[in-house]
Amino acid sequence: MIHLTKMTPKEYQDYLLSAIKDYANDKVKNGTWNAGESFEQAKKVFQELLPQGVATPMHFLYTVKSEDGPIGYTWFFCDNTKEAFIYDIGIFEEFQNKGYGTLTMKLLEQKVKSLGAKKISLHVFGSNQRALHVYQKVGYQITDYNLTKLIE
């Protein structure tokens, strides 16, 4: 059994460093940013979105935990428009392919519903087929495609 607990300031600091690196790498991998500037660009995005860290209004950061301790994290935004947006979700590598991603998505739905939201959305990088599979498995529908071709 897993559950979501509010991220502590210490957990947030650990999460933040990892999340910035991962986001920067994803942006480079998907051709949006160049490697030399990606970390600083990602850092700026996180500073703008979470200026008060775990205390940023309408942003909800959780650690995903099992009986054995932390197995992942998630971050979503929810305001009074009845819509929520998942900014980040991750299950640590050693816990992947065990159904925890699917369970986390279901727990997220419960949290969002308890806040009054009627819709939950997210973005997934095109190269992240594993995550796309999980999202579609729990009922998410593709609403847009962005396509890119590098011309050399």
Side-chain angles (χ1 to χ4, degrees), residues 5 23 36-37 45 47 61 72 81 85 98 100 109 114-115 123 128-129 144-146 149-150:
T5 61
Y23 185 61
E37 301 170 352
V45 168
Q47 288 171 341
L61 293 109
T81 65
F85 186 84
K98 297 179 180 180
Y100 292 128
E109 284 182 36
S114 74
L115 294 169
H123 167 270
N128 195 345
Q129 292 298 306
D144 295 293
Y145 284 107
N146 291 320
K149 179 180 180 181
L150 295 177

Side-chain angles (χ1 to χ4, degrees), residues 33-86:
W33 294 344
N34 71 53
E37 301 170 352
S38 63
F39 184 81
E40 286 305 315
Q41 286 175 294
K43 190 174 170 182
K44 182 178 176 188
V45 168
F46 276 78
Q47 288 171 341
E48 289 172 358
L49 290 171
L50 294 167
Q52 298 172 351
V54 293
T56 303
M58 297 180 285
H59 287 262
F60 300 83
L61 293 109
Y62 291 95
T63 301
V64 182
K65 293 185 177 177
S66 73
E67 298 79 29
D68 298 324
I71 63 167
Y73 55 82
T74 189
W75 161 31
F76 70 90
F77 172 84
C78 190
D79 63 12
N80 58 6
T81 65
K82 306 274 187 220
E83 293 187 29
F85 186 84
I86 299 170

